[in-house]
Amino acid sequence: MPFDVAITLQRGKLRLDYAFQTEKGGLTALFGPSGAGKTSLLDAIAGLARPSEGRILVEDRVLFDKARRIDLRPEQRRCGYVFQDLRLFPHKSVRDNLLYGWRLAPAERRWMDFDAALGFLGIGHLLDRRPATLSGGEAQRVAIGRALLSGPRFLLMDEPLASVDAERREEILTVIERIRDELALPILYVSHDRAEVDRLASRVIAI
Amino acid sequence: MPALTPEEWQVLVLSLKVSFVAMAAALPLAFALAWVLARWRFPGKVLLDALVHLPLVLPPVVTGWLLLIAFGTNGPLGRFFAEWLGLTFIFRWTGAALAAAVMALPLMVRAMRLSIEAVDRRLEQAARTLGAGRWRTFATVTLPLAMPGVLAGLVLGLARSIGEFGATITFASNIPGETQTLPLAIYSALQMPGSEWQVTRLAVLSILVSVVALVASEWLARRSGQGGAHHAL
């Protein structure tokens, strides 16, 4: 099973419960209004926030299980996290951003090579630039490339169209469709936009 | 200005030695303190903060006296260093370096703490999800982004240590060839009647050292500052 999640997150006095399982293949959208705790859920799956209870399995691998005291560190979870605010490293070139996770992954875990990623995302001409000089659409594609090159076993995408202007939406949507259709990678996709979800998602989970 | 006399050379070399050794010793300590103050939360943090800042607000002569008590022959720390490391401070150039390091420490910690606090922790999280452990994240993300502040702290500390006078003369005394750094040599020369020319030469030398240090630091900051200035994206 790609995602099998049943956790409780404590945010201040607020108690957030999540429970869902997904079928194999395609893209799973987490749909709900802003402030519903969608990003908190992705952070918990990535290992950046610790649930107070429950368990998280991805592809039948236990990432977190309170009862069994399992809590893998973020760097052990092999998740490709495309953050809403991108978080490209400002002190590194686009090339070094893209290769950051790739260099850390053992050779047998890399399933996409550098040139393939450049072609796939159309970012070959940006390599020597600094992130601060990129447009919203370019930065978004670099952030997706950085995640894919780290050899992840699953992808978390948090509102990937949020920092992209209207003319560039189509370009990013196409990239995401290709990832969904060509890469056989479980994807959790967070959005509050109905049209976006209808177009991309194989299934929708309301949060 | 005519070439330096052997005595002036001695003063210059000793000054530089004292300052550089002081910086080498203070840098790791200052960074560790800055890190703890920026990132950790624990009871007594206010106290540690105050202790670090003490040399900045105390009269230097008091700091020197406290060093005498702690690092003197019978002081607790003095005994420790003498017994375990064979290192003594009193009336020695190592004492001048210690005094310079202690006086420079608060300035270094302040600059470094600010730059560590300014590092966007979301970037560290991104590095973790990409497969970097804590240490690698520190070395490849946190430290490079904090580097301008670390260098600024080092420059401030160096400037402070080159000019250090009060704590040094109290703790390490004013011994030519051993603890007599530039400011102490100038002070000694001022005490002697008819030594205006000598004082002038030493003062000019002191100004030259400061200008060179300033230019070097500006150059360093420029080289490392690129890219570290903007955050987020």
Side-chain angles (χ1 to χ4, degrees):
Chain A
M1 204 174 290
F3 294 98
D4 179 0
V5 176
I7 52 169
T8 302
L9 285 175
Q10 208 71 42
R11 226 173 35 176
K13 281 182 180 168
L14 198 62
R15 187 188 145 102
L16 300 166
D17 290 302
Y18 306 88
F20 64 88
Q21 298 177 333
T22 66
E23 304 299 317
K24 222 168 179 48
L27 180 150
T28 305
L30 296 169
F31 178 74
S34 302
K38 301 189 294 290
T39 299
S40 305
L41 173 57
L42 291 195
D43 280 352
I45 296 171
L48 301 176
R50 182 174 293 148
S52 54
E53 276 162 58
R55 64 197 180 95
I56 301 169
L57 280 79
V58 178
E59 302 267 89
D60 302 318
R61 180 165 169 249
V62 181
L63 303 184
F64 178 86
D65 190 336
K66 176 80 172 180
R68 287 161 62 192
R69 294 190 178 180
I70 295 172
D71 184 8
L72 295 190
R73 292 194 290 273
E75 65 268 27
Q76 298 171 321
R77 298 195 178 198
R78 298 190 58 197
C79 97
Y81 194 163
V82 181
F83 297 93
Q84 181 173 3
D85 49 2
L86 304 185
R87 309 192 189 182
L88 296 177
F89 302 124
H91 58 302
K92 293 179 185 293
S93 65
V94 166
R95 176 184 283 103
D96 288 336
N97 267 280
L98 289 168
L99 288 174
Y100 190 86
W102 191 84
R103 288 184 177 127
L104 291 171
E108 72 274 10
R109 289 189 179 171
R110 299 174 188 151
W111 47 258
M112 189 176 232
D113 70 42
F114 188 57
D115 291 332
L118 297 183
F120 189 84
L121 296 161
I123 50 179
H125 59 295
L126 304 171
L127 291 180
D128 295 317
R129 304 255 296 267
R130 291 273 174 157
T133 69
L134 301 177
S135 72
E138 289 168 341
Q140 187 58 258
R141 282 179 288 156
V142 172
I144 293 172
R146 184 177 69 170
L148 293 177
L149 282 166
S150 68
R153 289 160 59 128
F154 60 99
L155 215 51
L156 305 174
M157 304 185 97
D158 193 357
E159 304 267 9
L161 296 174
S163 56
V164 180
D165 40 38
E167 308 97 82
R168 293 286 161 170
R169 278 175 69 94
E170 188 54 37
E171 171 188 313
I172 302 296
L173 278 166
T174 309
V175 164
I176 294 166
E177 281 176 330
R178 288 189 59 197
I179 293 171
R180 178 192 67 192
D181 299 336
E182 296 171 28
L183 297 181
L185 197 64
I187 305 169
L188 266 190
Y189 185 100
V190 157
S191 175
H192 67 281
D193 184 310
R194 186 80 238 183
E196 198 178 310
V197 166
D198 285 342
R199 171 165 169 186
L200 292 172
S202 321
R203 66 193 71 79
V204 179
I205 294 164
I207 296 278
Chain B
M1 186 154 95
L4 296 180
T5 66
E7 289 77 24
E8 286 163 348
W9 266 116
Q10 190 183 48
V11 166
L12 177 64
V13 169
L14 179 72
S15 266
L16 294 177
K17 179 168 86 170
V18 163
S19 288
F20 281 111
V21 168
M23 284 306 98
L27 181 61
L29 181 63
F31 190 83
L33 284 167
W35 184 268
V36 166
L37 289 171
R39 289 286 173 95
W40 294 12
R41 262 187 279 167
F42 56 94
K45 182 169 161 175
V46 182
L47 229 66
L48 179 66
D49 201 10
L51 193 68
V52 168
H53 279 88
L54 219 49
L56 194 64
V57 291
L58 281 179
V61 61
V62 176
T63 304
W65 176 72
L66 289 171
L67 285 173
L68 264 178
I69 291 173
F71 287 91
T73 323
N74 291 316
L77 290 167
R79 273 193 190 163
F80 172 84
F81 277 96
E83 271 176 41
W84 295 97
L85 300 167
L87 195 57
T88 59
F89 296 99
I90 238 161
F91 304 135
R92 295 198 54 216
W93 72 270
T94 47
L98 176 63
V102 167
M103 293 303 290
L105 199 67
L107 292 169
M108 300 173 78
V109 172
R110 283 175 78 85
M112 292 179 192
R113 175 184 182 172
L114 283 176
S115 71
I116 292 168
E117 281 171 348
V119 172
D120 189 341
R121 302 194 68 174
R122 293 172 306 169
L123 294 172
E124 298 176 352
Q125 292 186 330
R128 297 293 299 277
T129 66
L130 290 165
R134 282 177 202 282
W135 283 105
R136 191 180 296 273
T137 299
F138 172 76
T140 57
V141 176
T142 319
L143 190 58
L145 288 173
M147 196 45 89
V150 172
L151 287 177
L154 199 58
V155 167
L156 278 171
L158 192 66
R160 184 68 189 78
S161 71
I162 288 175
E164 166 43 34
F165 178 81
T168 308
I169 202 165
T170 312
F171 175 54
S173 186
N174 186 358
I175 306 164
E178 189 64 41
T179 69
Q180 193 178 72
T181 56
L182 259 173
L184 273 63
I186 293 171
Y187 173 76
S188 291
L190 276 169
Q191 305 292 302
M192 288 188 297
S195 61
E196 287 80 9
W197 177 234
Q198 207 183 334
V199 171
T200 308
R201 287 173 59 95
L202 285 168
V204 169
L205 189 57
S206 174
I207 291 165
L208 281 177
V209 167
S210 303
V211 168
V212 169
L214 208 65
V215 170
S217 71
E218 195 68 18
W219 178 77
L220 259 178
R222 246 167 236 271
R223 270 192 38 158
S224 78
Q226 296 165 350
H230 23 248
H231 285 288
L233 273 181

